[in-house]
């Protein structure tokens, strides 16, 4: 099969960015176009197949771009999940973490929180069972984001639900913080988790919308 011009031939360069699964799919489509599977031949078939072949080559750049976009989506998803899992796991060893924090930083509020946790752990350990469930909730949320990894377009609602959750952190901190006697500065730190957490989700949503608009 002879390519009609050099420009069309250069389009094949993008094939190196296509995954193995996509290469096999492209090979099957190629065989169908040039008639290797059906065994068709003849001048009329050759010219018809050549036109289909040129049209097929024109789709390669968009397929390569789609594959690259999917890799970027997975990278941002992994970044968000790592932060989410770390945030959850650190809710388990609170007493030890406060010991470590007070050894490094001289802060009145941290000392008060550390004293409260030590007393609760010594006299009322069941209170810390609530923070164990908090940690577990973070891990459960991370599991749901596996759906985004499997099918980002279909499961974009998971990303949007995470964005709503990040936005909900701000009113929660502003309302419950004063009720529980949390200093406003520390409430601002709590709110920053929502502000920074929504950034990768916004990036993910924008890229998934781009993926949705691309030809399959």
């Amino acid at each position: 099969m002879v390519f009609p011009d050099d420009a069309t031939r250069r389009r094949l360069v993008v094939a190196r960015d296509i995954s193995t699964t996509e290469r096999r799919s492209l090979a099957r489509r190629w065989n169908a176009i040039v008639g290797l599977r059906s065994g068709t031949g003849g001048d009329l078939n050759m010219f018809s197949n050549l036109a289909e072949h040129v049209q097929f080559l024109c789709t390669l750049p968009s397929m390569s771009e789609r594959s690259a976009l999917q890799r970027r989506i997975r990278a941002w998803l992994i970044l968000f999940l790592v932060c989410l899992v770390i945030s959850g796991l650190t809710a388990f060893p609170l007493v030890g973490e406060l010991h470590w924090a007070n050894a490094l930083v001289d802060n009145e509020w941290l000392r008060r929180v550390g004293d409260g946790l030590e007393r609760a752990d010594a006299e009322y350990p069941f209170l810390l069972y609530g923070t164990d469930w908090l940690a577990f909730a973070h891990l459960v949320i991370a599991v749901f984001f596996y759906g985004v990894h499997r099918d980002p377009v279909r499961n974009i609602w998971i990303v949007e639900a995470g964005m709503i959750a990040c936005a909900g952190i701000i009113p929660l901190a502003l309302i419950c913080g004063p009720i529980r006697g949390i200093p406003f500065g520390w409430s601002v730190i709590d709110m920053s988790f929502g502000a920074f957490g929504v950034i990768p989700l916004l990036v993910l949503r924008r890229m998934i919308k781009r993926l949705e608009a691309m030809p399959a």
Side-chain angles (χ1 to χ4, degrees):
M1 180 66 67
V2 179
F3 296 110
D5 52 45
D6 291 337
T8 303
R9 188 182 296 107
R10 284 195 295 269
R11 290 182 181 273
L12 284 175
V13 175
V14 300
R16 67 176 182 270
D17 296 327
I18 300 175
S19 65
T20 302
T21 302
E22 289 171 322
R23 288 177 187 272
R24 291 172 181 169
S25 176
L26 293 177
R28 288 193 295 269
R29 291 174 60 187
W30 169 270
N31 292 339
I33 289 172
V34 300
L36 292 179
R37 177 172 295 183
S38 60
T40 59
D43 293 340
L44 292 178
N45 281 332
M46 183 187 74
F47 286 111
S48 175
N49 290 342
L50 178 61
E52 293 179 21
H53 168 54
V54 173
Q55 183 180 9
F56 170 68
L57 287 178
C58 292
T59 66
L60 285 176
S62 62
M63 296 180 70
S64 176
E65 183 181 356
R66 182 181 180 89
S67 179
L69 183 58
Q70 288 174 329
R71 289 195 295 269
R72 290 197 297 270
I73 289 174
R74 294 189 185 101
W76 278 93
L77 180 62
I78 291 173
L79 172 64
F80 177 78
L81 288 179
V82 168
C83 295
L84 183 63
V85 170
I86 291 176
S87 178
L89 292 178
T90 53
F92 282 115
L94 288 178
V95 177
E97 289 171 351
L98 263 295
H99 275 299
W100 175 77
N102 282 313
L104 294 177
V105 180
D106 184 17
N107 182 274
E108 182 180 355
W109 174 251
L110 281 179
R111 287 197 303 272
R112 182 181 179 188
V113 173
D115 293 341
L117 284 175
E118 286 183 5
R119 183 174 179 183
D121 187 41
E123 301 180 21
Y124 313 103
F126 51 85
L127 292 177
L128 298 180
Y129 188 53
T131 58
D132 295 335
W133 279 100
L134 171 66
F136 178 69
H138 282 72
L139 303 180
V140 170
I141 294 172
V143 171
F144 276 95
F145 275 86
Y146 177 68
V148 182
H149 173 77
R150 293 192 59 181
D151 191 338
V153 173
R154 184 177 181 180
N155 295 316
I156 191 175
W157 66 270
I158 300 175
V159 175
E160 294 170 341
M163 293 167 59
I164 294 173
C166 288
I169 291 176
I170 295 177
L172 175 69
L174 291 175
I175 295 172
C176 296
I179 295 175
R180 303 301 183 187
I182 307 297
F184 179 74
W186 289 93
S187 294
V188 171
I189 294 176
D190 292 336
M191 289 185 285
S192 69
F193 282 92
F196 288 107
V198 79
I199 293 176
L201 295 179
L202 286 170
V203 175
L204 274 172
R205 187 180 186 277
R206 184 173 68 250
M207 290 193 296
I208 292 173
K209 285 296 185 181
R210 284 180 53 196
L211 182 66
E212 184 180 17
M214 285 183 174

